């Protein structure tokens, strides 16, 4: 009954460090996406993918990279962490990319950049 | 300009009360509409989709007004377990979901 699994749940980084947030889903969903949630800002889309080998930018892509080599996995890479990237990150998947299907979220990853 | 605007609240209502949330969206080409619920420090979960004709799920009723570009959620007979943040969500193209900042609800015994 895994659904969408994110790791790690908590991470503290120093400015300039790099890291990867992992996201895996076992529902064979075509669509996967990454959001960040900040107080007063709501969830904002960082990157999304409509299938293996296909990725695209969302509202706030700067400072983040993604790849989708398999249907199941959609890692988010922070190349050089900045304090402005302190946030809660959510990975979400959906069975279709038509915008009519439910988004299933992981439990979130809380990142602090010092 | 934000794609989706919500009153952040907080709304504090007694058990059994009826409460309504509104949400406006800026792009008339928006395609699909949803309400999600997010408990404190948890992930969002779908509460209900919103259809043009309006739809009901138990104590929850959602309405869409395309002419005025707003979406509403009505909760009747509020329960303590309804305490959460309610997120309004719209899609513009099929690939991008836009979330409102959420409306906080606390149901008081």
């Amino acid at each position: 009954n895994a659904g969408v699994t994110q790791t790690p749940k908590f991470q503290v980084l120093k400015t300039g460090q790099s890291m990867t947030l992992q996201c895996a889903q076992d529902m064979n969903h075509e669509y996967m996406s990454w959001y960040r949630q900040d107080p007063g800002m709501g969830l904002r889309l960082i990157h999304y993918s409509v299938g293996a080998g296909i990725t695209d930018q969302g509202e706030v892509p700067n400072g983040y990279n993604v790849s989708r080599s398999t249907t199941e996995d959609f890692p988010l890479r922070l190349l050089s962490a900045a304090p402005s990237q302190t946030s809660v990150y959510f990975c979400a998947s959906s069975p279709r990319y038509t915008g009519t299907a439910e988004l299933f979220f992981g439990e979130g990853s809380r990142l602090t950049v010092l | 300009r934000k794609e989706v605007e919500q009153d952040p609240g907080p709304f504090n209502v007694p058990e059994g009360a009826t409460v309504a949330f509104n949400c406006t969206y800026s792009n008339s080409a928006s395609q699909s509409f949803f309400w999600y619920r997010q408990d404190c420090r948890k992930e969002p979960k779908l509460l209900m989709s919103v259809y043009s004709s309006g739809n009901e799920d138990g104590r929850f009723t959602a309405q869409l007004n395309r002419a005025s570009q707003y979406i509403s959620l009505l909760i009747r007979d509020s329960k303590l377990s309804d305490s959460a943040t309610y997120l309004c969500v719209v899609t513009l193209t099929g690939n991008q979901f836009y979330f409102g900042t959420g409306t906080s609800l606390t149901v008081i015994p």
Side-chain angles (χ1 to χ4, degrees):
Chain A
N1 221 29
V4 179
T5 303
Q6 287 182 236
T7 56
K9 288 188 168 44
F10 301 92
Q11 183 72 50
V12 179
L13 290 178
K14 294 181 179 177
T15 297
Q17 287 185 317
S18 62
M19 77 157 298
T20 300
L21 297 175
Q22 302 290 347
C23 177
Q25 52 91 8
D26 61 0
M27 298 174 282
N28 201 32
H29 285 174
E30 293 176 318
Y31 180 87
M32 295 186 75
S33 54
W34 276 102
Y35 292 84
R36 60 177 290 174
Q37 187 172 32
D38 303 292
M41 300 292 292
L43 281 94
R44 292 180 291 169
L45 181 64
I46 304 171
H47 285 285
Y48 65 93
S49 169
V50 298
I54 306 169
T55 64
D56 209 342
Q57 297 180 350
E59 299 174 73
V60 289
N62 293 339
Y64 308 95
N65 276 1
V66 292
S67 59
R68 184 96 178 267
S69 56
T70 66
T71 300
E72 294 78 20
D73 299 301
F74 191 46
L76 178 72
R77 296 183 188 84
L78 282 70
L79 305 175
S80 178
S84 61
Q85 293 179 304
T86 294
S87 188
V88 180
Y89 292 84
F90 288 101
C91 179
S93 71
S94 178
R96 299 187 299 276
Y97 53 84
T98 58
T100 59
E102 178 181 355
L103 279 175
F104 293 82
F105 284 85
E107 293 183 338
S109 298
R110 295 180 179 276
L111 175 66
T112 300
V113 183
L114 303 175
Chain B
R1 184 180 178 188
K2 289 184 180 177
E3 293 288 342
V4 181
E5 301 265 11
Q6 283 184 259
D7 180 351
F11 285 69
N12 299 315
V13 302
E15 268 185 295
T18 295
V19 61
F21 307 138
N22 289 326
C23 161
T24 58
Y25 59 94
S26 61
N27 196 315
S28 60
S30 296
Q31 296 181 345
S32 300
F33 310 88
F34 309 89
W35 284 100
Y36 277 69
R37 170 192 168 128
Q38 186 174 25
D39 294 310
C40 187
R41 301 179 73 84
K42 297 287 191 179
E43 72 274 21
K45 293 184 179 178
L46 180 67
L47 178 67
M48 58 197 303
S49 301
V50 186
Y51 304 118
S52 296
S53 55
N55 48 299
E56 190 173 305
D57 183 1
R59 299 181 292 108
F60 299 84
T61 300
Q63 297 276 357
L64 168 63
N65 185 319
R66 282 190 181 270
S68 301
Q69 295 181 204
Y70 82 78
I71 308 152
S72 65
L73 177 68
L74 184 77
I75 305 175
R76 293 181 300 277
D77 188 22
S78 298
K79 312 289 185 192
L80 296 176
S81 57
D82 293 334
S83 297
T85 297
Y86 291 83
L87 306 172
C88 176
V89 183
V90 306
T91 65
L92 191 56
T93 67
N95 299 327
Q96 299 207 24
F97 291 73
Y98 291 93
F99 285 74
T101 54
T103 299
S104 173
L105 171 67
T106 300
V107 180
I108 304 163

